Amino acid sequence: MNSVGIGILGLGTVGRGVYRVLQKNRELIAARLGTPLEVVKILVRDTGKERGITLLPELLTTDPAAVLEDPGVSIVVEVMGGIEPARRYVLEALSHGKSVVTANKDLMAVCGQELFAGAAATGADLFFEASVAGGIPVVKILKEALAGNRILEVIGIINGTTNYILSKMSDEGADFDTVLREAQERGYAEADPASDIEGLDAARKIAILASIAFNTRVMLDDVYVEGITKIRPEDIKYARELGYVIKLLGIARETPGGIEVRVHPALVRCGHPLAAVSDVFNAVFTRGDAVGETMFYGRGAGELPTASAVVGDIIAAARNIRCNARRILGCTCFERKPVRPITAIESCYYLRLRVIDRPGVLAGIAGAFGNNSVSLAAVIQKTTGVVAELVLVTHRVREANLRAAVEELRCLPTVETVANIIRVEE
Ligand code: NAP
Ligand code: HSE
């Protein structure tokens, strides 16, 4: 049996996991595939670095050409991260007719179209399962298993670091910085955790999922993004009293006015399946016109869960090479659909205000909402004193109206601050 040669670009958290899984399950994978997979070369920056795995030193190289131009490498696995030089290396591998497997959502969300064109030019495969939701095979599910459905919405908890932080803050009252440090130590967080906590990591992932679900190219810039840095322990507490948990959601929805694609914290009703997804776990909830609701759950980050998705793609690429069936599942963006601006969406909203505590204040606040056709579902005074904390929940309203009401509130002398506004996903 001829083996299929694998070249790996990067041997950090994910690269190490891929190498480990390929070694540990070598015989099983060979039996399933009908041929062994052989790691031929691994590109790193520093060949002398201690990596916590046993491997032949001659496998390591700092020369990209040793992977990209080696005729013995049929599949290039990009697990370096970032845009450059990953983009150049992937394009070069594809130009040599090598299939590419990547875990890189930055690259797929920004350069996906260019990479698919590169793959189409030589008939090579480009797989990217691990770029969204780590070990959950949601890309394959949307592209293959649910391909008979018109997908109506995809809602995901797709960033493990922020879910870990919000869960620990909620369950243990832990403080933000300590939990973030823990997430970094466990290898969940990105090298620059700002990308996690500001919502950009999730934005890249929902752009990829929306592109697949709605067959239209959704770029990173199309995604409205808010992170979790403004969430305070009191928001978590008040949300819980109202029967909700706070989650960072990636939401992609097809509406008659276009596609909605957004990432922001949201209040999720305690009974919803997404509310029970805690710790570093991810979940992707979908609604299809035939299947109805489905939810896929698992570890969205970390060495072995991510490696599971990468190795699944390597096996698919190797099978296609063996069966001469490459490029059966290429780019699926064959339509062009408009993306709705955030001001056009409709939602319910939670607001936390700090206001002067005296008679008549509430009437002024209610007036600002009424003037902008925003109907209130609940108003609760949480603290008293010279300044009181008010929590309000609106009925469903267009975001433009809510924003206009908030502008009016900010001008009221009785409103000290609009401390937080969080959308409620019913
Ligand atoms: P990482 O731990 O920082 O590892 C990156 C590896 O790439 C390192 O081995 C580094 O070499 C190598 N590298 C980086 N730039 C290079 C360059 N210019 N030339 C040669 N080698 C270079 O990153 P990671 O956490 O494994 O993530 C890899 C990719 O997987 C990223 O796209 C990430 O978004 C994605 N991903 C990660 C996770 C996760 O849980 N970590 C989950 C899903 C997807 P040295 O070791 O010599 O420095
Ligand atoms: N930093 C990401 C997360 C993992 O926390 O989910 C890689 O996608």
Side-chain angles (χ1 to χ4, degrees):
M1 277 191 301
N2 289 334
S3 59
V4 176
I6 313 292
I8 305 180
L9 307 175
L11 192 60
T13 305
V14 181
R16 197 169 48 235
V18 169
Y19 187 79
R20 279 200 172 118
V21 173
L22 287 175
Q23 297 314 308
K24 179 168 177 277
N25 296 338
R26 188 182 160 79
E27 274 75 38
L28 181 63
I29 292 170
R32 285 182 175 152
L33 191 57
T35 191
L37 298 175
E38 202 66 58
V39 176
V40 176
K41 271 286 178 247
I42 306 175
L43 178 75
V44 291
R45 276 181 295 219
D46 174 6
T47 53
K49 191 167 165 182
E50 171 50 46
R51 296 179 188 274
I53 48 171
T54 321
L55 82 177
L56 297 170
E58 55 268 31
L59 280 181
L60 296 183
T61 179
T62 54
D63 176 12
V67 178
L68 303 173
E69 292 174 17
D70 182 345
V73 170
S74 301
I75 301 171
V76 170
V77 179
E78 187 279 302
V79 282
M80 296 166 42
I83 303 281
E84 294 292 358
R87 174 187 150 276
R88 267 188 292 122
Y89 294 171
V90 167
L91 285 172
E92 192 178 336
L94 293 168
S95 76
H96 290 297
K98 300 181 191 305
S99 294
V100 170
V101 171
T102 177
N104 192 333
K105 65 240 141 191
D106 308 43
L107 193 59
M108 289 309 299
V110 176
C111 312
Q113 190 169 13
E114 184 185 17
L115 302 186
F116 272 117
T122 57
D125 273 329
L126 172 63
F127 290 131
F128 52 95
E129 184 63 72
S131 66
V132 183
I136 309 175
V138 65
V139 170
K140 274 195 193 66
I141 286 166
L142 284 173
K143 280 198 171 197
E144 299 181 46
L146 295 181
N149 287 258
R150 179 169 291 278
I151 301 295
L152 308 172
E153 64 179 4
V154 179
I155 305 180
I157 294 175
I158 44 182
N159 181 268
T161 302
T162 47
N163 204 38
Y164 186 77
I165 293 172
L166 290 173
S167 303
K168 288 262 175 179
M169 285 175 75
S170 175
D171 299 345
E172 298 170 15
D175 79 276
F176 187 91
D177 292 331
T178 313
V179 194
L180 174 59
R181 247 193 327 275
E182 272 176 42
Q184 286 176 292
E185 281 161 16
R186 288 165 183 245
Y188 305 149
E190 295 300 302
D192 174 9
S195 158
D196 294 300
I197 60 180
E198 302 289 357
L200 270 176
D201 175 79
R204 294 183 176 107
K205 294 169 179 170
I206 200 70
I208 295 170
L209 289 182
S211 301
I212 298 169
F214 308 128
N215 303 110
T216 182
R217 184 154 306 285
V218 176
M219 306 292 290
L220 181 58
D221 287 347
D222 294 325
V223 184
Y224 174 83
V225 191
E226 279 174 30
I228 64 164
T229 51
K230 287 197 207 141
I231 303 294
R232 296 284 170 268
E234 49 269 41
D235 294 314
I236 292 175
K237 177 168 168 267
Y238 298 156
R240 175 165 297 169
E241 287 168 14
L242 289 162
Y244 296 92
V245 289
I246 299 181
K247 296 287 181 191
L248 183 73
L249 298 184
I251 299 172
R253 187 171 280 140
E254 179 149 22
T255 71
I259 306 290
E260 285 180 14
V261 203
R262 45 197 165 99
V263 168
H264 52 71
L267 271 69
V268 178
R269 176 77 62 194
C270 284
H272 191 283
L274 284 168
V277 178
S278 56
D279 204 71
V280 72
F281 282 92
N282 282 23
V284 181
F285 176 91
T286 68
R287 194 187 303 275
D289 64 351
V291 71
E293 295 175 358
T294 55
M295 192 168 97
F296 308 95
Y297 169 87
R299 288 185 187 275
E303 181 182 319
L304 294 177
T306 310
S308 162
V310 173
V311 173
D313 276 353
I314 296 174
I315 294 170
R319 191 172 284 134
N320 287 356
I321 290 169
R322 276 177 54 76
C323 303
N324 226 353
R326 298 197 304 166
R327 294 286 302 146
I328 281 178
L329 205 61
C331 181
T332 50
C333 295
F334 50 79
E335 289 190 60
R336 292 185 79 162
K337 297 178 183 170
V339 175
R340 295 179 87 192
I342 190 70
T343 46
I345 72 151
E346 284 188 5
S347 179
C348 303
Y349 297 83
Y350 155 104
L351 297 100
R352 178 164 57 83
L353 312 183
R354 289 178 58 75
V355 303
I356 307 296
D357 195 3
R358 65 162 187 256
V361 169
L362 208 50
I365 290 171
F369 284 105
N371 294 343
N372 293 284
S373 310
V374 180
S375 164
L376 292 173
V379 180
I380 307 161
Q381 180 160 345
K382 288 299 183 183
T383 60
T384 51
V386 181
V387 175
E389 200 155 47
L390 279 189
V391 166
L392 302 96
V393 181
T394 73
H395 283 297
R396 198 171 168 79
V397 64
R398 207 174 150 91
E399 178 135 343
N401 293 53
L402 190 275
R403 289 184 180 211
V406 169
E407 279 318 303
E408 260 192 68
L409 286 179
R410 289 201 167 113
C411 296
L412 292 177
T414 51
V415 174
E416 190 185 77
T417 50
V418 178
N420 215 343
I421 307 170
I422 311 175
R423 295 174 190 81
V424 181
E425 263 309 302
E426 287 292 1

